[in-house]
Amino acid sequence: MSDWMVTQGPIPRRRPRALSPLREHLRDTFWFAPTAAMVGVFVVWLAAQELDAALVRSLQDDGDYDTLAELLRFADDAKTVVSAVGSAMMTFIGVVFSISLVAVQMASGQFTPRVVRLFVRSRITKATFAVFLATFVLTLLVLTSYDSNADPRTAVSVPLVQSVLTLVMVALSLLLFVMYVNATLRLMRVSHVIARIAAESFRVAALMPVPAGGGEVPGLGPATAWVAHDGQAGVLRDVHVARLVRVARKHGVVLRLVPRIGDFLVPGTPVLAVHGGAAPSRRALRYALSVGVERTFHQDLAFGLRQLSDIGLRALSPAVNDPTTAVQALDRVVQILATLSRRPLDAVPHRDRRGTVRLVQPVPGWTELVDLGFAEVRACAVGSPQVTRRRLAGLDDLLLLVPPERRGPLLRHRELLRQAVERTAPTPADRAFALRPDRQGIG
């Protein structure tokens, strides 16, 4: 096998680490960054205010009232600028908010509602909102620091450092606004959205630990106890791996997660099987499982393929009729499957510090991932030779990359596609054209 076949779609090599959901949950919220920025700018303003007060006291102690009078005149001129900045910031915030709403609506209608989370998780969008709000709060705080007393001998504070800090924040706001518009326009382009989805999928795969030696997860034996879900109904978003491993080590058992990440849970559903002892207490397992209203990328190996399939299906719908977008989605489907082609699947073991398996997390198997990437789009693709040719080329490439024991699902999808095209294409020439592999579809 040539070198490019071996290295196609590599998983970045890094030391597997426990996946804590806290950081990912904060990234999925839109309130944390602006709130932290406003709290932070308040602390910075307190420090700047103290510096200004120290500067005034130093000049008064030295008797340099002429310099202090010049600073008072400068502060009076800067007050007009600070007031204008405070009014303009609210307008800027309204513009950014309007652009975000339009971008989200267009992306949701053009691609899939699942890609809205890309806008929510966008660092530049959060940074722009955070800096704009922080600048607005800073201008209000600075305005309260101006002293109506113009006598340098009795002045208490001259907001010199605060005014300079406000101007710096304005410059940063303008820079972020330009970056924000550029990033938003990129996220409205399907190629960049698809690339972001693929990058998230590779990140999930890279952080999933692999069994020692690439072998199978060791046998667990029969379950000795079960833990049922007693929270609200919803989608299993992720699990706190480090906490579950600690609990299992403390009780001397192995925990096996019953549902997969992304499954919908209802109260009473078994979520953990206990092997080798009694079930841990409810208190020990508190906050170990996160249930929400939608899936996230954090530990969901199949979510990327789910989104790419949705984009391909919408692109091939009669209302959109955009086979080129479907081909772009298929490009990434093939890339993701090539990345996972030689990776152990079905179950992911998490070990404690001594190397003992303490938690087994189920993940989709190879057949399930192939079906997710190819099955649904096939029904819509048979009328588009561009898509059928790209699917066949992708399947042929994967057949060269995967081990022999994993070729079965690919051969099955290849045969199903051939049969579907033969039933749909009216003439032998059309069938031959639609079944000719082409990595670009039709140029």
Side-chain angles (χ1 to χ4, degrees), residues 30-348:
F30 210 82
W31 61 266
F32 178 75
T35 303
M38 288 187 289
V39 173
V41 80
F42 180 77
V43 175
V44 172
W45 170 75
L46 290 177
Q49 187 183 45
E50 183 60 30
L51 287 176
D52 286 329
L55 176 62
V56 171
R57 290 193 299 268
S58 176
L59 292 175
Q60 289 175 340
D61 293 341
D62 295 340
D64 193 356
Y65 297 111
D66 292 336
T67 301
L68 187 54
E70 290 292 335
L71 292 180
L72 284 171
R73 286 191 290 271
F74 171 80
D76 188 60
D77 295 336
K79 183 178 181 180
T80 304
V81 178
V82 173
S83 301
V85 169
S87 301
M89 275 299 121
M90 289 307 297
T91 303
F92 250 50
I93 292 172
V95 170
V96 173
F97 187 69
S98 301
I99 293 175
S100 298
L101 287 181
V102 172
V104 167
Q105 290 177 345
M106 291 185 63
S108 177
Q110 183 179 358
F111 310 134
T112 169
R114 259 68 61 189
V115 304
V116 172
R117 63 183 303 278
L118 295 179
F119 290 86
V120 176
R121 290 171 63 90
S122 172
R123 290 188 177 94
I124 187 63
T125 302
K126 293 179 180 179
T128 303
F129 271 102
V131 171
F132 280 14
L133 289 172
T135 304
F136 176 70
V137 172
L138 180 62
T139 58
L140 298 181
L141 295 173
V142 172
L143 287 174
T144 64
S145 299
Y146 281 93
D147 194 344
S148 59
N149 187 4
D151 186 358
R153 298 179 182 275
T154 58
V156 177
S157 175
V158 178
L160 177 64
V161 177
Q162 300 172 61
S163 300
V164 173
L165 180 61
T166 302
L167 296 178
V168 171
M169 291 293 291
V170 170
L172 180 60
S173 299
L174 294 175
L175 176 62
L176 281 175
F177 180 72
V178 175
M179 296 174 61
Y180 164 77
V181 172
N182 178 68
T184 302
L185 291 176
R186 285 169 61 90
L187 284 177
M188 294 172 65
R189 297 165 58 183
V190 65
S191 57
H192 291 284
V193 171
I194 291 175
R196 285 282 297 273
I197 294 173
E200 291 274 7
S201 298
F202 300 146
R203 176 177 171 274
V204 174
L207 294 176
M208 290 280 183
V210 180
E216 298 293 331
V217 177
L220 302 178
T224 55
W226 298 85
V227 177
H229 175 55
D230 60 352
Q232 63 180 357
V235 175
L236 180 61
R237 299 192 300 175
D238 49 41
V239 297
H240 199 307
V241 173
R243 180 170 297 168
L244 288 175
V245 169
R246 287 196 301 267
V247 170
R249 183 181 70 246
K250 180 179 179 180
H251 290 77
V253 299
V254 179
L255 300 177
R256 176 172 57 85
L257 188 65
V258 177
R260 286 206 311 243
I261 303 297
D263 287 357
F264 189 86
L265 301 180
V266 297
T269 303
V271 289
L272 288 171
V274 183
H275 298 265
S281 64
R282 295 286 184 183
R283 182 177 181 179
L285 297 175
R286 184 181 301 175
Y287 306 122
L289 279 70
S290 174
V291 175
V293 296
E294 63 178 355
R295 297 168 67 174
T296 67
F297 259 118
H298 184 203
Q299 298 171 0
D300 198 337
L301 192 61
F303 192 39
L305 290 174
R306 174 69 275 160
Q307 292 185 77
L308 293 174
S309 296
D310 290 345
I311 292 175
L313 285 170
R314 180 160 299 200
L316 293 174
S317 65
V320 178
N321 195 22
D322 183 12
T324 302
T325 295
V327 167
Q328 290 178 307
L330 281 172
D331 292 340
R332 299 298 182 171
V333 168
V334 173
Q335 183 186 11
I336 293 173
L337 292 177
T339 302
L340 300 173
S341 61
R342 294 180 177 274
R343 183 184 178 88
L345 297 171
D346 297 313
V348 173

